[in-house]
């Protein structure tokens, strides 16, 4: 077959498979029952990173579209909106309101947001950071990870974690020692684990601090414990956070859970993947999932996974950030990963439209990478098809110990 025929064959093959996503933030039913319109969906998307807003007038919307229409975030969100709502036009200022009206009509039909997901996803690992370990009441599709970040801020009864979260009140902790705090934390997490509610740990502290979580010093953590928030130094907070993070690593090892770590973007000054090397060496028994390909340091992830078999590259979010960078990164990771089964992907989205758009982006990346390997490296069609199956769903089923089966099982 020539390149055109190969590409069409691989695309059709990939389009015929439902996906498993390793990382999402899908909002709960109340958000979608409002119901959403175009403005609401755009407002809960990665377009916020562009810094441009659309306003309410045709002129302001046209100016907005003039800035962002070629951005990867917009490109794939638009495609997701088109697919979910059966809309065959580009988003324009002059059809904005008509599209919003159609979206509202679609959402008026029962669980539209869930039913739309279930047409193309088998399972989605979900990080409900507003309710760590939650599944939005839909275990048939959502499988919880547990974001441990909140515990890293619990140095005092009045301390506040991001998202207006108060660890002591939320987890009803009233102890007096740091050991009791850690024991309470482990008890909270194990209770959810024992009910089969947790398939991974997650840390997103790359938005707030460096992802070097060492040194791990108990004495420095004790200095911070029970000190009022206004009296504690930033350095003390880091040492307390390090101590709690490392106790979570020990728990992840005990429970044999993979540990997802946000790498890249976030706080660029401290989110380089190479910052994780001491952690990978300290805990060789934990499979650390390095989220987002470490973008823009995708090559660092390649070097890390080559040398550290407990480092797993996840391209979650990457195709939505930069589709071209995702193709280059995936090629690198296929070449250097000790096992092809270590490579994963997820949508990292809040809404159905963005999740579907992210899946379209991932399918686009897979189609192009696999086609190129078949054509330029003389890889067989059969091996290309098998590679697609692994990268679309099977790898995530294995990495996260998910049940095999049909959609909704």
């Amino acid at each position: 077959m020539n390149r055109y025929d190969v590409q069409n064959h691989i695309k059709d093959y990939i389009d015929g498979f439902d996906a498993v996503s390793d990382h999402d933030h899908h909002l709960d039913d109340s958000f979608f029952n409002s119901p959403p319109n175009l403005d609401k969906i755009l407002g809960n998307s990665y377009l916020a990173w562009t810094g441009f807003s659309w306003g309410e007038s045709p002129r302001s919307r046209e100016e907005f579209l003039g800035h962002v229409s070629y951005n990867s975030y917009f490109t794939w969100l638009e495609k997701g909106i088109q697919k979910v709502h059966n809309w065959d036009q580009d988003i324009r200022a002059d059809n904005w309101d008509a599209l919003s009206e159609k979206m509202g009509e679609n959402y008026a039909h029962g669980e539209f947001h869930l039913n739309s997901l279930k047409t193309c996803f088998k399972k989605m690992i979900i990080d409900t950071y507003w309710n760590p370990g939650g599944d939005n009441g839909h275990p048939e599709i959502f499988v919880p990870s547990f974001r441990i970040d909140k515990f890293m801020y619990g140095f005092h009864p009045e301390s506040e974690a991001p998202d207006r979260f108060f660890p002591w009140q939320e987890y009803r902790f009233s102890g007096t020692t740091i050991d009791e705090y850690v024991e309470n934390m482990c008890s909270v997490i194990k209770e959810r684990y024992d009910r089969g509610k947790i398939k991974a740990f997650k840390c997103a502290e790359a938005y707030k601090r460096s992802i070097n979580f060492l040194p791990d010093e108990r004495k420095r953590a004790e200095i911070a414990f029970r000190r009022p928030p206004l009296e504690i130094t930033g350095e003390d907070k880091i040492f307390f956070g390090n101590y709690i993070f490392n106790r979570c690593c020990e728990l992840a090892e005990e429970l044999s859970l993979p540990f997802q770590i946000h790498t890249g973007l976030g706080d660029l000054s401290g989110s380089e993947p190479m910052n994780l090397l001491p952690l990978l060496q300290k805990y060789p028994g934990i499979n650390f999932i390095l989220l987002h390909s470490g973008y823009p340091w995708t090559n660092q992830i390649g070097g890390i996974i080559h040398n550290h078999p407990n480092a797993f590259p996840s391209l979650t979010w990457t195709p939505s950030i930069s589709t071209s960078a995702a193709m280059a990164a995936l090629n690198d990771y296929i070449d250097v990963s000790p096992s092809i089964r270590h490579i994963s992907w997820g949508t990292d989205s809040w809404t159905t439209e963005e999740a579907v758009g992210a899946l379209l982006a991932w399918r686009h990346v897979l189609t192009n990478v696999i086609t190129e390997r078949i054509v330029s490296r003389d890889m067989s069609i059969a091996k290309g098809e098998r590679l697609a199956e692994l990268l679309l769903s099977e790898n995530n089923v294995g990495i996260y110990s998910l049940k095999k089966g049909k959609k909704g099982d």
Side-chain angles (χ1 to χ4, degrees), residues 150-162:
K150 313 300 187 186
F151 290 111
M152 296 171 67
Y153 292 82
F155 53 86
H156 186 271
E158 298 174 2
S159 60
E160 179 182 349

Side-chain angles (χ1 to χ4, degrees), residues 247-379:
R247 304 294 75 74
C248 288
C249 286
E250 293 169 353
L251 185 57
E253 197 162 25
E254 176 188 338
L255 301 178
S256 298
L257 287 175
F259 205 139
Q260 300 178 334
I261 308 289
H262 179 115
T263 64
L265 291 183
D267 177 12
L268 287 174
S269 64
S271 63
E272 286 189 60
M274 293 295 282
N275 283 312
L276 288 174
L277 288 183
L279 193 72
L280 296 169
Q281 294 161 357
K282 183 177 181 180
Y283 299 105
I286 299 176
N287 292 335
F288 288 100
I289 315 300
L290 310 187
L291 296 176
H292 319 314
S293 311
Y295 183 86
W297 299 284
T298 58
N299 288 339
Q300 286 191 17
I301 296 288
I304 290 170
I305 65 175
H306 179 278
N307 284 14
H308 298 275
N310 64 326
F312 287 33
S314 173
L315 290 104
T316 185
W317 192 25
T318 317
S320 301
I321 299 170
S322 171
T323 314
S324 58
M327 286 191 277
L330 178 58
N331 264 314
D332 285 349
Y333 303 159
I334 293 172
D335 284 345
V336 305
S337 182
S339 170
I340 191 62
R341 295 179 180 273
H342 289 185
I343 303 172
S344 61
W345 165 85
T347 81
D348 204 1
S349 301
W350 283 262
T351 66
T352 300
E353 290 83 357
E354 196 160 43
V356 171
L359 176 56
L360 294 173
W362 181 230
R363 286 174 170 167
H364 175 83
V365 168
L366 291 179
T367 297
N368 282 274
V369 168
I370 293 173
T371 296
E372 181 61 28
R373 285 175 172 263
I374 291 172
V375 172
S376 67
R377 305 192 187 195
D378 200 27
M379 186 172 74

Side-chain angles (χ1 to χ4, degrees), residues 17 25 47 83 94 147 180 184 215 279 372 377 398:
F17 275 83
H25 305 292
L47 286 173
K83 183 173 180 62
D94 64 1
R147 187 185 288 208
E180 289 174 322
N184 179 73
L279 193 72
E372 181 61 28
R377 305 192 187 195

